[in-house]
């Protein structure tokens, strides 16, 4: 018996070394942690239970029968984050470059199947050279099996991808179908075709970092939701995100202890909006003052900064926030901000996370580049996302709510439950100057008349009371009382039940 136990320990020790100490040292030399170190950092201490430690590939071509490392390049299992069950797989770059074989993919599929069966999030740590070329189509079939599970899990359990090394070719499509993607600066990249292929086909000279690095995907393409300095910071932020999310679409997000009075009055909000309607202010300041303990987890912070998305807590409960940012492009809606916000709204709705919308929007961005880029369809994505959402929704208009953008931003007409406005709010088809120049076109040559008409328009429409008179605004509230009012509103909506008409699925304007 003793010999068998010693043999087991020896085999486990060999498996834990992955590709060997030399390759582990090389991984550390690149500023990267090993697959197992990442799992240990991500999960609660001593909570990891590993599956399939001794699985090996079955390939016998190209001399592969002579190298059969235990685990086959991916560490899989389950554990806890702040005491809540999660499933995890972590690709091991020290073993055959983390390349995906048929059995490697099967290990991942097993974990995803268990996550679905038991209603728990799945977190994938990607660090792979791609499909294992020696296995040919078997490797591609493995990818396909993973893709199908990503699709079936979408909207059922949270899926989080952490890119901590290369992720190229077909491998990128699995993370792309997950809910959140995080990257590590200078050591991770994603692209469908690499720099060498790009150079051959298009004659473009580009580095891997420029083509698919963390900066590219968080600022330009919007593929990634966040970029962090190193592996440790990235894993800590994943732990923080998981704590905001429910385990699955049939459970509510966790309720955390809070030490911030829901009735708290915030007098500084009374002066947040400047007297000059064209002067910007920072909407993030408002978000922080509304949140429990000023804790705000922003999503896609570096992309489409004219709209803000992320999570806060009110009375210890998760709330998704979508807010126009007057500091960037005056908070206007455009292609990028519409896509960013629509995806976030749909995630919140899929996982029963209430949505708070803070509105200061002068309209949609005009211009040929926007129209040629399909701003109509992209704007419709956000409209559609809000219109199909059945979760509790509270909207606060702080200043401008003009034109179609007023409708799009969780208006009462899209079944938002509570629609509040500050006294500084202006709900109208457009700004006073533009409206006056259209209505009183015949007086354009007379500056005095135009000024008088503009003042009359402002007095009549540049306020929230016309909309309030028609019931489109439920209440005009004091800015200082906003936290109290929205906390009470969400508390009253905890048992909300609303269903859309039966359909196989909708046809959102993609």
């Amino acid at each position: 018996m003793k010999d068998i136990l010693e043999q087991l320990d020896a085999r486990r020790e060999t498996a834990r070394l992955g590709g060997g100490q030399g390759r582990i040292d090389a991984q550390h030399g690149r500023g990267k942690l090993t697959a197992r170190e990442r799992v240990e950092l991500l999960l609660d201490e001593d909570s990891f239970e590993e599956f399939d430690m001794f699985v090996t590939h079955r390939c016998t071509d190209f001399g592969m029968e002579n190298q059969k490392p235990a685990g086959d390049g991916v560490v899989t299992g389950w554990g806890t984050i702040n005491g809540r069950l999660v499933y995890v797989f972590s690709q091991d770059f020290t073993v055959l470059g983390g390349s995906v074989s048929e059995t490697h993919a099967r290990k991942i599929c097993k974990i995803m199947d268990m996550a679905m069966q038991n209603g728990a999030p799945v977190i994938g740590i990607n660090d792979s050279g791609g499909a294992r070329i020696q296995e040919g189509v078997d490797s591609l079939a493995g990818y396909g099996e993973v893709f199908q599970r990503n699709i079936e899990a979408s909207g059922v359990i949270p899926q989080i991808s952490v890119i901590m090394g290369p992720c190229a070719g077909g491998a990128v499509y699995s993370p792309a179908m997950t809910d959140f993607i995080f990257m590590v600066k200078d050591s991770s990249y994603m692209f469908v075709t690499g720099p060498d292929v790009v150079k051959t086909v298009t004659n473009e000279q580009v580095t891997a970092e420029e083509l698919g690095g963390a900066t590219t995907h968080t600022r330009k393409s919007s593929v990634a939701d966040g970029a962090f300095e190193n592996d440790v910071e990235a894993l800590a932020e994943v732990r923080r995100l998981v704590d905001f999310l429910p385990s699955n679409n049939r459970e509510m997000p966790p309720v955390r202890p809070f030490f911030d009075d829901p009735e708290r009055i915030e007098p500084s909000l009374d002066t947040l909006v400047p007297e000059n309607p064209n002067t910007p202010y920072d909407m993030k300041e408002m978000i922080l003052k509304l949140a429990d303990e000023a804790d705000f987890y922003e999503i896609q912070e570096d992309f489409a900064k004219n709209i803000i998305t992320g999570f806060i807590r009110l009375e210890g409960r998760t709330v998704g926030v979508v807010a126009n940012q007057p500091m960037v492009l005056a908070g206007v809606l455009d292609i990028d901000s519409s896509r960013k916000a629509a995806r976030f709204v749909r995630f919140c709705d899929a996982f029963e996370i209430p949505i708070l919308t803070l509105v200061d929007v002068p309209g949609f961005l005009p211009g040929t580049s926007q129209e040629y880029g399909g701003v109509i369809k992209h704007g419709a994505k956000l409209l559609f996302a809000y219109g199909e959402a059945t979760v509790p929704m509270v909207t606060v208009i702080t200043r401008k709510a003009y034109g179609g953008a007023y409708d799009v931003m969780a208006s009462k007409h899209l079944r938002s439950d509570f629609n509040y406005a500050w006294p500084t709010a202006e709900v109208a088809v457009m700004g006073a100057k533009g409206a006056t120049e259209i209505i009183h076109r015949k007086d354009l040559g007379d500056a005095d008349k135009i000024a008088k008409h503009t003042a009359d328009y402002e007095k009549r429409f540049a306020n929230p009371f016309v909309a309030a008179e028609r019931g489109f605004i439920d209440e005009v509230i004091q800015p200082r009382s906003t936290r109290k009012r929205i906390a009470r509103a969400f508390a009253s909506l905890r048992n909300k039940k609303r269903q859309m008409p039966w359909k196989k699925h909708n046809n959102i304007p993609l």
Side-chain angles (χ1 to χ4, degrees), residues 24 71 74 89 98 103 130 136 154 208 257 286 307 343 364 368 388 407 412 436 449 482:
I24 289 174
V74 63
F89 66 87
T103 49
S154 181
M286 178 177 175
I307 205 158
R343 178 164 171 79
F364 281 90
T368 55
E388 72 170 349
D407 279 318
K412 180 63 76 174
T436 300
K449 281 189 176 181
T482 305

Side-chain angles (χ1 to χ4, degrees), residues 187-226:
S187 67
S188 68
Y189 51 84
M190 299 175 72
F191 38 65
V192 176
T193 51
D196 294 339
V197 176
V198 169
K199 182 180 178 182
T200 301
V201 176
T202 70
N203 211 31
E204 291 176 273
Q205 295 268 13
V206 65
T207 66
E209 183 64 28
E210 291 168 339
L211 184 62
T215 300
T216 296
H217 285 313
T218 52
R219 296 183 182 178
K220 296 180 181 179
S221 72
S222 82
V223 167
D225 297 287

